[in-house]
Amino acid sequence: MPQTKFLLDESRMPTHWYNIAADLPVPAPAVLHPGTMQPVGPDDLAPLFPMELILQEVSTEREIAIPEPVREVFRLWRPAPLYRAHRLEKALGTPAKIFYKYEGVSPAGSHKPNTAIPQAWYNAQAGIRKLTTETGAGQWGTSLSFAGQLFGLEVKVFQVRVSYDQKPYRRAVMETYGARCIASPSNETQYGRRVLAERPDHPGSLGIAISEAVEIAATNDDTKYALGSVLNHVLLHQTIIGQEAMLQMEMADADPDVVVGCTGGGSNFAGIAFPYIGQQLRGGKKRRIVAVEPAACPSLTRGKYAYDFGDTGHMTPLTKMHTLGSTFTPPGFHAGGLRYHGMAPMVSHVKELGLIEAVAYHQVACFEAGVLFARSEGIVPAPEANHAVKGAIEEALRCKREGKAETILFNLCGHGHFDMAAYQSYFAGQLSDQSYSEEELAMALSGLPSVPA
Amino acid sequence: MPQTKFLLDESRMPTHWYNIAADLPVPAPAVLHPGTMQPVGPDDLAPLFPMELILQEVSTEREIAIPEPVREVFRLWRPAPLYRAHRLEKALGTPAKIFYKYEGVSPAGSHKPNTAIPQAWYNAQAGIRKLTTETGAGQWGTSLSFAGQLFGLEVKVFQVRVSYDQKPYRRAVMETYGARCIASPSNETQYGRRVLAERPDHPGSLGIAISEAVEIAATNDDTKYALGSVLNHVLLHQTIIGQEAMLQMEMADADPDVVVGCTGGGSNFAGIAFPYIGQQLRGGKKRRIVAVEPAACPSLTRGKYAYDFGDTGHMTPLTKMHTLGSTFTPPGFHAGGLRYHGMAPMVSHVKELGLIEAVAYHQVACFEAGVLFARSEGIVPAPEANHAVKGAIEEALRCKREGKAETILFNLCGHGHFDMAAYQSYFAGQLSDQSYSEEELAMALSGLPSVPA
């Protein structure tokens, strides 16, 4: 029996993050100040982030050292395992070799602690005592709660009200890690009060929760804000995934022809993909890099590449990205972590440079893929991760049709233990392929801010 | 920073289970037929189990080979990691070294697949097409569902009704693995119909669910029964835990002075403890081996060592064990996996031989220990595992008081991702230390079957 798991010893955990900005043929477009529409400088971001993270945001150094206290925490679960999916290959009857990197082994159950830990550490080093953030389904809020606990920071999480009410168990995990969780929109911020005044029973949205968390940080000296995706430094922190995978694929004596990840904000995808794209940009092997997104919130495949806000309250800087418009409200499909109107500017940029492909699938097909995966490999994937599973299975079936023994690598970014209600709906036949109307998308896109050329 | 994780390569996964029966100075008392009260022979058990498992049940061979197809499945998560709990040690300020073996990495989230996989395989080899079992909280039902799926067996799980209704997510996992889950008491068995006739809204119990699952197996030729704990062959399968731990403790250049596990039926405790007890019986180091049980269901510390039935319907053979009486109904505390009236006969036997100690803790103190563990080590333990965490912490605090740098090893048998409602109650201050009345215990013990001397 060929090997199933490829485990790296702690001593081989990467010591540096990989910064794709160092290898890009064209730099990504500037980030603009929402008031002046001029490029932001480090000082503009200082109310929200500690300077070390701001410097990482704009760095063009290829390698950025991972601080030793951060690596010490990573040792609780990293290096994360890489698996050969023998049983899935057999179930599909494909000549392809399928490998997956599994990030669900982290305490929070996803890749999110890869950036929560360093963000908390850099804030603690800068003397910050409190962090605010937003969370939808709860993966990110859980991760930052855990990170804050380890470095003695108070964490306040604004959770989208509909998730707060419907998914109390994620909240219980945040509380287990010592964080305070608040339903958003809330009365704790000016913006939240404004939203509630208009509609007291507002179910909330990620965009609103971001606005609330940002407001608290912007108006309190001892408090900073932490974001779980989208920003350059967040994507940077996730590159440990791809760097470990490279070492493990070597152990497996294999080299991927296709690399697959799911995309919401873009961070887990960037984590597995950027180190491989960088290798190619430096003259290495050309691979297909495939981003899989939900058809109900298809920023990369249906969005416009334009400057837009990151939040609903229009407090964030403007970034150029594939966006559905900041007022776009995605339908209520189950992959909460992929329900975001925009895409990480750096992922959008490599898409524009032709370095990656993008494809979109509806949720029922993704759950079907997830169940096949669970029955073959044992792990029950998160609904978000099911998109990557679906993408990998489609590639494997293509290989079968074409009679090609390609090597496929995908990132299984998290487990679905807190998402079993979604599986339950799937088995009960109550899940449908949610969609938006073309009118709604056109309306949201028509509201994009105008930016001087 | 000293090492945190000790990972064994797949190539070093144990090839044999360790059978403590080979090293015992006195054999365990015979198992009796419920009708004749005479020792049972293999044929008596044949309606319920395939012959290979029956032979393991009575074997005195020290090593029993793990079949290669079983080891192939184990490779999906085994060898399981062993951790040094640096952060917990620091939080406690103890000179003790604390290590834990983590079984929550299995697809089902606990140690249960260690026996579900071989049980399903031996049944499939014997030509069996269907398995029945019972489950309380759902850990065992999940594990057997997964195992059945891998070897093409239909699995029918009788889940205690109160859990079936209150914990639909575990059921969703079972369904994801392709099993059928039935609320017990049910109309599918004669015994279930009898119980429902007496009380249509009966909340069910593990004892009733066992009776239902056993009845289906006993009355259908193509169906066998699988049990998740208590029996010798189940404990045997769990010894892979302790055997791996021994190799990993060697990697860590450490040797436990104290080995701790939680006990319900006794299988995860036996898994970590028996290989160490065996070493001692063959002339090796004498260690303290500590079984931690819930104070609300304290079979080892408050039960009587006597012959008793394993189920409520009195269909199972009689075994000599520490029992609270088969009619004892433990109060509704949250560690569902520890709510069983009896103890594995082999664990009871080593207790009688003075080879292990036992201690009992109430649930609030165990949750407190679990939360400290989660905040230090990241992993949120299952309520059952919190008992082992509590036991290990008490040992570490004793070391602190005594100024001793002992080495403590405990088994973290599962994660708590499906038990967050219990943590929620704990944080809301709604958790109390459930107890039984002395009268109730005396009553249950007075009903023990009389067995000819």
Side-chain angles (χ1 to χ4, degrees):
Chain A
M1 173 93 184
Q3 204 170 338
T4 299
K5 284 188 306 301
F6 300 88
L7 305 173
L8 274 183
D9 193 78
E10 282 177 21
S11 61
R12 297 190 67 198
M13 186 163 65
T15 55
H16 292 71
W17 291 298
Y18 166 68
N19 183 8
I20 196 170
D23 290 317
L24 289 174
V26 187
V31 174
L32 305 183
H33 190 286
T36 64
M37 297 288 177
Q38 295 301 308
V40 296
D43 288 351
D44 294 317
L45 297 172
L48 296 187
F49 305 108
M51 197 46 70
E52 282 295 320
L53 291 177
I54 295 170
L55 294 176
Q56 288 181 4
E57 189 66 19
V58 297
S59 170
T60 54
E61 292 291 311
R62 181 171 292 125
E63 295 202 318
I64 295 176
I66 307 175
E68 191 48 36
V70 169
R71 296 180 77 239
E72 275 181 24
V73 175
F74 281 173
R75 287 191 181 98
L76 291 173
W77 76 95
R78 302 210 73 87
L82 180 123
Y83 289 85
R84 168 89 183 266
H86 292 295
R87 287 168 197 278
L88 179 62
E89 291 170 17
K90 207 170 154 191
L92 296 171
T94 180
K97 289 180 192 167
I98 307 175
F99 290 87
Y100 59 97
K101 178 77 172 166
Y102 183 41
E103 290 291 320
V105 292
S106 82
S110 78
H111 63 293
K112 294 289 187 188
N114 294 338
T115 183
I117 303 294
Q119 287 195 51
W121 186 78
Y122 284 115
N123 273 288
Q125 287 299 105
I128 300 305
R129 310 307 318 148
K130 299 177 187 174
L131 288 178
T132 60
T133 196
E134 71 291 329
T135 202
Q139 289 276 17
W140 169 243
T142 304
S143 302
L144 196 71
S145 302
F146 169 53
Q149 174 67 34
L150 292 177
F151 297 117
L153 294 162
E154 275 180 42
V155 175
K156 189 181 277 189
V157 181
F158 290 90
Q159 184 171 23
V160 177
R161 176 171 290 280
V162 61
S163 296
Y164 182 92
D165 290 337
Q166 287 175 0
K167 300 181 178 180
Y169 296 153
R170 272 275 176 205
R171 187 172 9 127
V173 183
M174 293 186 240
E175 286 170 4
T176 300
Y177 291 140
R180 192 169 151 234
C181 191
I182 298 148
S184 166
S186 78
N187 278 312
E188 307 220 354
T189 66
Q190 211 177 332
Y191 184 68
R193 287 188 293 270
R194 209 167 77 209
V195 173
L196 286 174
E198 279 174 26
R199 185 179 164 190
D201 65 340
H202 199 295
S205 75
L206 213 48
I208 293 170
I210 294 177
S211 296
E212 289 206 273
V214 165
E215 183 186 319
I216 297 274
T219 55
N220 290 278
D221 279 350
D222 63 347
T223 308
K224 297 282 182 201
Y225 168 70
L227 188 64
S229 190
V230 177
L231 299 177
N232 294 345
H233 70 268
V234 179
L235 275 51
L236 173 79
H237 298 158
Q238 295 295 352
T239 58
I240 194 168
I241 301 173
Q243 292 187 92
E244 284 182 5
M246 280 178 167
L247 296 172
Q248 290 164 311
M249 290 299 283
E250 269 174 40
M251 288 169 72
D253 200 18
D255 195 10
D257 301 296
V258 190
V259 177
V260 179
C262 63
T263 46
S267 76
N268 99 76
F269 171 76
I272 190 108
F274 280 8
Y276 281 108
I277 296 175
Q279 219 177 42
Q280 175 183 330
L281 288 171
R282 296 191 304 277
K285 172 171 171 178
K286 169 115 183 74
R287 299 176 177 86
R288 290 180 50 232
I289 313 278
V290 182
V292 185
E293 60 182 10
C297 191
S299 56
L300 275 175
T301 52
R302 296 293 317 278
K304 190 169 165 188
Y305 187 56
Y307 274 101
D308 198 4
F309 292 98
D311 69 332
T312 310
H314 293 185
M315 297 178 198
T316 67
L318 287 94
T319 55
K320 197 162 184 186
M321 59 183 176
H322 292 89
T323 178
L324 302 164
S326 67
T327 60
F328 179 81
T329 306
F333 61 93
H334 279 284
L338 308 183
R339 296 181 71 235
Y340 186 63
H341 69 275
M343 179 49 58
M346 196 60 95
V347 172
S348 289
H349 184 57
V350 297
K351 172 73 164 55
E352 288 300 302
L353 293 176
L355 296 166
I356 66 168
E357 306 168 27
V359 61
Y361 294 109
H362 277 295
Q363 69 175 353
V364 174
C366 292
F367 272 95
E368 192 184 354
V371 169
L372 174 63
F373 184 84
R375 291 182 180 178
S376 312
E377 298 291 314
I379 299 165
V380 180
E384 293 83 1
N386 280 344
H387 290 75
V389 173
K390 171 69 176 167
I393 287 176
E394 285 301 315
E395 291 294 332
L397 293 176
R398 176 190 56 74
C399 288
K400 184 180 180 178
R401 286 192 304 273
E402 298 176 357
K404 286 183 182 164
E406 290 181 20
T407 297
I408 300 163
L409 167 65
F410 75 96
N411 192 33
L412 190 70
C413 61
H415 63 63
H417 298 171
F418 297 101
D419 305 287
M420 293 315 299
Y423 279 88
Q424 216 177 0
S425 301
Y426 169 74
F427 286 117
Q430 291 162 351
L431 221 59
S432 63
D433 287 338
Q434 307 279 340
S435 207
Y436 52 88
S437 72
E438 292 297 330
E439 292 70 29
E440 196 187 337
L441 175 58
M443 171 89 84
L445 286 174
S446 73
L448 289 177
S450 60
V451 170
Chain B
M1 174 92 184
Q3 203 170 339
T4 298
K5 284 187 307 299
F6 299 89
L7 305 173
L8 275 183
D9 193 78
E10 283 176 21
S11 61
R12 297 189 66 200
M13 187 163 67
T15 54
H16 291 72
W17 291 298
Y18 165 68
N19 183 8
I20 196 170
D23 290 317
L24 288 174
V26 186
V31 173
L32 304 184
H33 191 284
T36 64
M37 297 289 176
Q38 295 302 308
V40 297
D43 288 349
D44 294 316
L45 298 171
L48 296 187
F49 305 107
M51 197 46 69
E52 281 295 320
L53 291 177
I54 295 171
L55 294 177
Q56 289 181 4
E57 189 66 21
V58 297
S59 170
T60 53
E61 291 292 310
R62 180 172 291 123
E63 295 201 320
I64 295 176
I66 308 175
E68 191 48 37
V70 169
R71 296 180 77 238
E72 275 181 25
V73 175
F74 282 173
R75 286 191 181 99
L76 291 173
W77 76 95
R78 301 209 75 87
L82 180 122
Y83 289 86
R84 168 89 183 266
H86 292 295
R87 288 169 195 276
L88 179 62
E89 291 170 17
K90 208 171 153 191
L92 296 171
T94 178
K97 289 180 193 165
I98 307 176
F99 291 86
Y100 59 97
K101 177 77 172 167
Y102 184 41
E103 290 291 319
V105 293
S106 83
S110 78
H111 63 292
K112 294 289 188 188
N114 295 338
T115 184
I117 303 294
Q119 287 194 52
W121 186 79
Y122 284 116
N123 274 287
Q125 286 300 104
I128 300 305
R129 309 308 316 149
K130 300 179 187 172
L131 287 178
T132 62
T133 197
E134 71 291 329
T135 202
Q139 289 275 17
W140 168 243
T142 304
S143 302
L144 196 70
S145 302
F146 169 52
Q149 174 67 36
L150 292 177
F151 297 116
L153 293 162
E154 274 180 44
V155 175
K156 189 181 279 189
V157 181
F158 288 90
Q159 184 171 23
V160 177
R161 176 171 290 281
V162 61
S163 296
Y164 183 93
D165 290 337
Q166 287 175 1
K167 299 182 177 179
Y169 296 153
R170 272 277 176 205
R171 187 174 7 130
V173 183
M174 292 185 242
E175 285 169 4
T176 300
Y177 291 139
R180 191 168 152 235
C181 191
I182 298 148
S184 165
S186 78
N187 278 313
E188 306 220 355
T189 66
Q190 209 177 332
Y191 184 67
R193 287 189 291 271
R194 207 166 79 209
V195 173
L196 286 174
E198 279 175 25
R199 185 178 162 190
D201 66 340
H202 199 294
S205 77
L206 213 48
I208 293 170
I210 294 176
S211 296
E212 289 205 274
V214 164
E215 182 185 319
I216 296 274
T219 53
N220 289 278
D221 279 350
D222 64 347
T223 306
K224 298 282 182 198
Y225 168 70
L227 188 63
S229 190
V230 177
L231 299 177
N232 295 345
H233 70 269
V234 178
L235 275 52
L236 173 80
H237 297 159
Q238 295 294 352
T239 58
I240 194 169
I241 300 173
Q243 291 187 92
E244 284 182 6
M246 280 178 168
L247 297 173
Q248 290 164 311
M249 289 299 283
E250 268 175 40
M251 288 170 73
D253 200 19
D255 194 10
D257 300 298
V258 191
V259 177
V260 179
C262 64
T263 45
S267 76
N268 98 77
F269 170 76
I272 190 109
F274 280 8
Y276 281 108
I277 297 175
Q279 220 177 41
Q280 176 183 328
L281 288 171
R282 296 190 304 276
K285 174 173 168 176
K286 168 116 183 72
R287 299 176 178 87
R288 290 182 48 234
I289 313 278
V290 182
V292 185
E293 61 181 9
C297 190
S299 55
L300 274 175
T301 53
R302 296 292 317 279
K304 191 169 167 188
Y305 186 58
Y307 273 100
D308 197 6
F309 291 98
D311 68 333
T312 309
H314 294 184
M315 297 180 199
T316 68
L318 286 96
T319 56
K320 197 162 184 185
M321 59 183 176
H322 292 88
T323 179
L324 302 163
S326 66
T327 61
F328 179 80
T329 306
F333 61 93
H334 280 284
L338 308 183
R339 295 180 71 234
Y340 186 64
H341 69 276
M343 179 50 57
M346 196 59 96
V347 171
S348 289
H349 184 58
V350 297
K351 173 74 164 56
E352 288 299 301
L353 293 176
L355 295 167
I356 66 169
E357 306 169 26
V359 61
Y361 294 110
H362 275 295
Q363 70 175 352
V364 173
C366 292
F367 273 94
E368 192 183 355
V371 169
L372 174 63
F373 184 85
R375 290 183 180 178
S376 312
E377 298 290 315
I379 299 165
V380 180
E384 292 83 1
N386 280 344
H387 289 75
V389 173
K390 172 67 177 169
I393 287 177
E394 285 301 315
E395 291 294 331
L397 292 176
R398 175 190 56 75
C399 288
K400 185 179 180 178
R401 285 192 305 273
E402 298 176 357
K404 286 184 181 163
E406 291 181 17
T407 298
I408 300 162
L409 167 65
F410 74 97
N411 192 34
L412 190 70
C413 61
H415 63 63
H417 298 170
F418 297 100
D419 305 287
M420 292 317 297
Y423 279 88
Q424 215 177 1
S425 301
Y426 169 74
F427 287 117
Q430 292 161 351
L431 221 59
S432 64
D433 287 338
Q434 307 280 340
S435 207
Y436 52 88
S437 72
E438 293 297 330
E439 291 71 28
E440 196 187 336
L441 175 57
M443 172 90 84
L445 285 175
S446 72
L448 289 178
S450 61
V451 171

